[in-house]
Amino acid sequence: MYKLTKFLGFNFKANSKINSLSFPKQAYIAMACSLVLFASCKKEPHDNDPIIPDPPKSTAVYILNQGSISGNNATVTMYDLEEKTTVPDYFSTQNGRELGDTGYDLLIYGSKAYIITNISSQLEVVDAVTFESIKQVPLFNGTIPSQPSALAATDGKIFISAYNDSVYVMDTTNLELIKSIGVGLDPDALLIANDKLWVSNSGGLSFPNYDSTISIIDPVSLTETGKLTVGTNPFSLQADNYGDIYVITRGNYNDIKMRLKVINASTQMIKRTFDEFEAFNFTIKGDTAYVYHYDFNQSTSSIMLINVKTEEILTTNFITDNTVIKTVYGIAVDPTSNDVYICDANNFEGPGKVFCFTPDGKLKFTVDAGINPVAVRFLVQ
């Protein structure tokens, strides 16, 4: 009783008149004062008060499983973050047919998702939520498959790199291809940054005569405006918030090693090469680059963190709870929760897994995936 009345501004020892009241009356006074305070602090709703919506959050995770080459077994695993349930082959479940041969990339843009299969040379356009097919677009040069490799989007256009040394452009309004832009050999990754489209020309199918350039395309005029030489077999591309482009050059898988390099987007010059480690692939979220490597000779995986603002290595081991990733094959960060998803291809033949970690490297849960899970995308609603 003393604590309640002291909270309300009364002190029995300091106020003998109140202290002399009977207990029921004291309780009544305390309760009455409490109601008065509550009523005076409570804000009454008004019709014109703004309604503040809940912030967007990821509601589902889509895992693109590459499948085995020429196995016609590419799939998409859907994990419902709210229900904590998994649909192993979401595309087939929703459409009654297979996705195709060798899934390479999945992009969510607006209300649609776009999926490319490299060997089948198809672009699938589906509803981003229901995954029901909207259109299937063959990507062929006459009768020769173009072998699409990566996707990017900006200003109502989808860009599709393909191993026939070109980048296709699709209008998202009518889902028609409107142009093919010639670039370097066997373009792989695409990146929209600094009002440009950056294209890594790997030359991977021209072994041992790899390409070493990045094509720069104006996404408005849809023309190649220049090329930048970065090193043997350029692959992944990411941008930070400080005007730099990060690229991994995969070398020749022998004496020319896989390196992470930093390009000043304004000068288009390489400003740093990380020679301390080899890097197979990576992603950037905020000020952190999540860089992984798989050593095919030693059959070991590693994931490290780099601060892209200072360009310093933060740690060489992101995982802090001793969880073992056998064959790291992809990495992504949830844009709303900052959880980190790591694909494990296992033995490249059977089903893989995707591990979800907290930002400090502790395992939250795992998702059973298909063969060779290679990309993770998030449905944000």
Side-chain angles (χ1 to χ4, degrees):
M1 184 64 193
Y2 172 71
K3 291 181 179 179
L4 174 63
T5 52
K6 189 168 184 179
F7 172 78
L8 294 172
F10 297 111
N11 188 318
F12 283 176
K13 293 181 180 179
N15 193 321
S16 59
K17 186 174 181 180
I18 293 178
N19 197 32
S20 66
L21 293 173
S22 63
F23 178 80
K25 290 183 178 179
Q26 293 177 27
Y28 177 81
I29 292 173
M31 291 173 63
C33 291
S34 177
L35 290 171
V36 169
L37 281 172
F38 178 79
S40 63
C41 293
K42 184 179 179 182
K43 181 181 177 181
E44 293 297 326
H46 297 285
D47 291 339
N48 59 353
D49 282 350
I51 298 174
I52 301 175
D54 293 332
K57 66 177 181 178
S58 297
T59 58
V61 178
Y62 296 141
I63 303 164
L64 177 62
N65 304 298
Q66 196 172 66
S68 53
I69 295 176
S70 299
N72 197 38
N73 52 3
T75 60
V76 174
T77 301
M78 190 276 284
Y79 181 74
D80 189 313
L81 285 165
E82 297 176 335
E83 301 295 330
K84 300 186 183 345
T85 55
T86 303
V87 181
D89 191 346
Y90 195 39
F91 180 86
S92 179
T93 299
Q94 297 301 96
N95 297 287
R97 60 180 173 87
E98 301 304 317
L99 177 60
D101 200 330
T102 320
Y104 258 47
D105 202 3
L106 190 160
L107 170 73
I108 299 174
Y109 183 63
S111 62
K112 301 178 183 68
Y114 302 81
I115 316 160
I116 48 174
T117 48
N118 179 266
I119 302 300
S120 296
S121 271
Q122 301 287 333
L123 169 67
E124 290 280 356
V125 185
V126 301
D127 183 278
V129 177
T130 68
F131 242 62
E132 293 175 349
S133 180
I134 297 171
K135 188 172 184 179
Q136 186 178 44
V137 182
L139 297 170
F140 284 76
N141 184 12
T143 60
I144 302 173
S146 297
Q147 293 188 260
S149 55
L151 295 161
T154 188
D155 296 332
K157 293 185 285 289
I158 300 293
F159 296 89
I160 311 149
S161 60
Y163 287 160
N164 65 346
D165 307 339
S166 65
V167 173
Y168 292 99
V169 187
M170 169 183 276
D171 187 326
T172 59
T173 304
N174 54 23
L175 301 179
E176 296 291 337
L177 297 175
I178 58 176
K179 191 169 184 179
S180 174
I181 306 168
V183 288
L185 296 177
D186 310 321
D188 258 312
L190 298 175
L191 173 69
I192 301 291
N194 295 74
D195 300 320
K196 299 178 180 65
L197 173 66
W198 306 73
V199 186
S200 63
N201 302 309
S202 71
L205 299 184
S206 304
F207 170 85
N209 301 313
Y210 294 103
D211 203 327
S212 60
T213 63
I214 292 176
S215 289
I216 301 172
I217 291 175
D218 181 345
V220 178
S221 66
L222 304 180
T223 56
E224 183 187 58
T225 59
K227 277 183 180 171
L228 167 65
T229 300
V230 295
T232 304
N233 195 5
F235 183 64
S236 299
L237 293 165
Q238 294 281 322
D240 66 14
N241 295 319
Y242 306 101
D244 292 333
I245 305 295
Y246 285 67
V247 60
I248 286 179
T249 55
R250 286 188 168 177
N252 62 0
Y253 308 101
N254 189 7
D255 58 313
I256 304 176
K257 303 301 181 183
M258 301 180 187
R259 295 299 186 219
L260 178 65
K261 302 180 180 183
V262 188
I263 302 166
N264 182 306
S266 297
T267 65
Q268 298 180 12
M269 300 289 291
I270 295 175
K271 57 182 286 192
R272 174 161 185 183
T273 298
F274 289 92
D275 291 315
E276 306 95 312
F277 56 85
E278 285 199 85
F280 193 77
N281 208 341
F282 74 117
T283 191
I284 293 177
K285 176 65 167 63
D287 283 350
T288 305
Y290 299 79
V291 185
Y292 73 81
H293 183 64
Y294 180 73
D295 189 321
F296 286 88
N297 294 320
Q298 302 294 325
S299 298
T300 56
S301 297
S302 60
I303 301 103
M304 66 191 312
L305 304 183
I306 295 174
N307 184 311
V308 296
K309 184 176 183 179
T310 62
E311 298 176 10
E312 295 175 338
I313 298 173
L314 299 175
T315 178
T316 57
N317 190 6
F318 162 68
I319 298 172
T320 56
D321 63 0
N322 298 317
T323 299
V324 176
I325 306 294
K326 184 177 179 180
T327 310
V328 60
Y329 204 54
I331 195 164
V333 182
D334 186 325
T336 63
S337 69
N338 290 324
D339 287 340
V340 181
Y341 289 73
I342 300 174
C343 300
D344 188 343
N346 193 15
N347 59 5
F348 296 109
E349 295 177 359
K353 287 185 178 293
V354 172
F355 295 76
C356 176
F357 291 88
T358 61
D360 58 354
K362 292 180 172 56
L363 182 65
K364 288 183 69 175
F365 60 86
T366 62
V367 180
D368 291 331
I371 299 172
N372 296 329
V374 68
V376 178
R377 304 293 182 255
F378 304 93
L379 178 64
V380 179
Q381 294 179 301

